[in-house]
Amino acid sequence: MNFGGKVALITGATSGIGEVTATLLARHGAHVLVSGRDQQRGNRVVETIRAAGGSADFLSAALVDAQGCRALAAAASEIAGRVDILINNAAVGTFGRTEKIAETDFDYCYAVNVKAPFYLVGALAPAMAARGDGVIVNVSTMVASFGTAGSAVYASSKAALNHLTKCWAAEYGPRGVRVNAVAPGPTLTDNAVAQFGEDGLAQMMSHAPARRAAAPHEIASAIAFLASDEARFVHGAILPADGGRSAS
Ligand SMILES: NC(=O)c1ccc[n+]([C@@H]2O[C@H](COP(=O)([O-])OP(=O)(O)OC[C@H]3O[C@@H](n4cnc5c(N)ncnc54)[C@H](OP(=O)(O)O)[C@@H]3O)[C@@H](O)[C@H]2O)c1
């Protein structure tokens, strides 16, 4: 993989899968725009990338509405001139029994997981299409493709993102912009471990071929593949990176 000369904007890059993806793309030559709300964690990611010889900047953004997305797109274009690769990774999980879900939690989950990618793509894809070159990778989840109790809000928001992936592939692909998604299984990020426990994440995979949860770098490498020219004939795909859980 060679991302030399490319500018990659990665949302939710202040921790977890996004942070590891930012580090990986930077190691392969991308100028990485690390985005999130937490300035301190964002700066730490940037410093780590620079200390390893990579190139990165932090762009603070709270992604819940069109205005915040447009502001991030404008800031990215201002600091780096353009965005070649957009990784829509920031997300929140809302879990629980359907009758217990507060309307505010439903709205917030859909705002971060669906509305924000929608308006970021609207803000950045036209310039990619005008240049005839660009890549978008959406980070989904395995539970968008099968039913699990307690995941209705989160899983359906990611199912919407899966379908947006296909719509955008149809809309922008003919003008040189590839749009795909990675659908991870349970992954050992700090936040996921804090929420479900290592045993809880492993339990979700007890019948999957891999019989274990993923390490964050195993998801980042799938994202990087789709972002790279190695995937140049791949459009509109939802790539499961779930140890085979959704296949069995
Ligand atoms: N970990 C898993 O088991 C798993 C499984 C399947 C799919 N996924 C998907 O993989 C992606 C990354 O997951 P993860 O476990 O690495 O998550 P994580 O560590 O919780 O990171 C989430 C990131 O999103 C950012 N974020 C959250 N709300 C935001 C908002 N309103 N505006 C801007 N940024 C916001 C956070 O940054 P700040 O705190 O700085 O704002 C953080 O960098 C998500 O799309 C998730 O749905 C994860």
Side-chain angles (χ1 to χ4, degrees):
M1 285 183 295
N2 180 5
F3 295 108
K6 300 285 185 190
V7 177
L9 171 61
I10 304 171
T11 69
T14 55
S15 65
I17 291 167
E19 175 180 354
V20 178
T21 303
T23 306
L24 180 62
L25 265 56
R27 198 185 315 138
H28 288 276
H31 176 63
V32 168
L33 303 176
V34 170
S35 187
R37 293 163 302 178
D38 191 306
Q39 181 107 29
Q40 220 175 358
R41 277 191 278 116
N43 286 338
R44 182 180 49 74
V45 175
V46 165
E47 280 160 22
T48 305
I49 289 172
R50 288 180 183 166
S55 172
D57 289 298
F58 175 65
L59 292 176
S60 169
L63 300 174
V64 286
D65 57 17
Q67 194 187 356
C69 294
R70 289 178 185 135
L72 174 60
S77 303
E78 193 181 319
I79 199 166
R82 66 185 191 285
V83 172
D84 303 298
I85 298 166
L86 168 64
I87 314 284
N88 281 312
N89 168 76
V92 291
T94 294
F95 298 100
R97 281 159 45 187
T98 293
E99 67 271 25
K100 299 278 189 196
I101 301 291
E103 187 177 358
T104 48
D105 291 338
F106 181 98
D107 287 347
Y108 187 64
C109 187
Y110 266 67
V112 179
N113 296 6
V114 184
K115 193 174 175 183
F118 184 88
Y119 282 98
L120 258 186
V121 168
L124 290 168
M128 293 178 181
R131 291 194 301 275
D133 184 40
V135 183
I136 296 167
V137 181
N138 298 319
V139 182
S140 181
T141 172
M142 71 177 189
V143 297
S145 63
F146 57 90
T148 46
S151 304
V153 181
Y154 172 70
S156 64
S157 74
K158 294 292 194 171
L161 187 61
N162 285 356
H163 199 67
L164 286 171
T165 301
K166 295 177 187 184
C167 290
W168 289 329
E171 188 171 344
Y172 296 109
R175 290 178 282 158
V177 184
R178 288 190 306 104
V179 188
N180 292 289
V182 169
T187 305
L188 295 160
T189 60
D190 290 347
N191 286 345
V193 169
Q195 191 168 9
F196 300 105
E198 277 192 42
D199 289 347
L201 294 171
Q203 182 59 33
M204 293 176 203
M205 294 293 281
S206 59
H207 298 294
R211 295 284 201 276
R212 64 172 176 84
H217 71 85
E218 293 174 309
I219 307 304
S221 57
I223 296 169
F225 165 67
L226 287 176
S228 77
D229 278 349
E230 301 304 308
R232 67 178 70 84
F233 203 57
V234 183
H235 289 249
I238 316 294
L239 174 64
D242 64 0
R245 172 63 182 82
S246 60
S248 59

